[in-house]
Amino acid sequence: CDIASELAANPLDIDINNLGSNINQRLSDNGTAFQDETLYFQSTESMPTGKKIKVKGNKATYDSLFQIRMYKSNRDESGQWSQKQAVPIEINAREYNVGSPSISYDGSKMYFTVCQTINESTICNIYVSAFEGSGWGKPEKLKEINSKISSTKHPYAFFDEATQKEYLLYISNKSGGLG
């Protein structure tokens, strides 16, 4: 790949820093998006069930389930991140995971993935929410790309300067897809 050869020949000088305990927890924290000085991300958390649970296809039993939710943290003038806060997202589903935020170039829309398990099958869909003053409005499922039988997830919104258009990239296991 030409890009890989170029990157290997001209490596970037990058500092990777832990954002601290206000954001990073014991389990996975990832899938980030920025809006001004606010960081949006998904965080995996353990939810104790009070009973032993057997997971299909696995010999182990568990006393907790895991859920993925979206959070935000604000950076102050000194560069410190605030304690993470849950992002209230109104989803009409009993059991679901939400994450992988991507914010439009102008900050007016947030795209994200919602995954729901029904009858031991997980289907993921991409939703969009409009920024309304101080928070995000009621999310809407993107009907043009979602399906009841396949998953669409991990949205990435970007603005192409050459065409002056916003595009949304995503992954899917839909028939006819490229990967």
Side-chain angles (χ1 to χ4, degrees):
C1 174
D2 294 337
I3 294 172
S5 299
E6 183 180 329
L7 290 173
N10 302 302
L12 300 173
D13 185 21
I14 298 174
D15 286 331
I16 298 175
N17 298 303
N18 185 312
L19 296 181
S21 61
N22 283 346
I23 295 176
N24 294 312
Q25 305 298 313
R26 184 175 64 88
L27 299 173
S28 180
D29 300 299
N30 55 54
T32 61
F34 282 94
Q35 182 190 41
D36 300 322
E37 294 300 311
T38 302
L39 171 68
Y40 292 89
F41 59 99
Q42 68 186 38
S43 184
T44 304
E45 297 186 341
S46 176
M47 297 174 24
T49 63
K51 60 184 179 180
K52 295 288 183 185
I53 298 171
K54 182 141 179 71
V55 177
K56 185 177 180 178
N58 192 332
K59 293 181 181 179
T61 57
Y62 302 92
D63 60 2
S64 63
L65 297 174
F66 296 94
Q67 72 175 9
I68 301 169
R69 292 291 187 264
M70 195 171 336
Y71 290 87
K72 68 178 182 176
S73 177
N74 297 303
R75 185 170 35 199
D76 65 21
E77 299 80 30
S78 67
Q80 297 299 308
W81 292 99
S82 66
Q83 184 66 38
K84 74 178 186 177
Q85 300 172 335
V87 175
I89 296 177
E90 192 178 322
I91 300 294
N92 187 19
R94 240 184 41 210
E95 295 178 20
Y96 65 92
N97 290 309
V98 60
S100 301
S102 181
I103 296 177
S104 62
Y105 75 99
D106 63 358
S108 66
K109 296 178 286 229
M110 179 182 353
Y111 300 91
F112 55 92
T113 303
V114 175
C115 296
Q116 186 176 14
T117 302
I118 301 171
N119 298 328
E120 299 180 11
S121 180
T122 301
I123 298 290
C124 300
N125 289 286
I126 296 175
Y127 284 69
V128 63
S129 182
F131 192 73
E132 299 175 347
S134 61
W136 298 100
K138 184 175 180 174
E140 296 179 18
K141 193 185 292 189
L142 293 181
K143 294 177 183 161
E144 308 84 28
I145 61 173
N146 291 315
S147 164
K148 293 181 180 180
I149 59 171
S150 60
S151 286
T152 53
K153 51 189 168 180
H154 303 292
Y156 177 71
F158 74 97
F159 184 77
D160 182 12
E161 293 284 338
T163 63
Q164 294 293 298
K165 291 183 182 178
E166 182 177 78
Y167 293 91
L168 181 67
L169 302 178
Y170 58 93
I171 63 170
S172 177
N173 62 354
K174 288 198 295 194
S175 177
L178 298 176

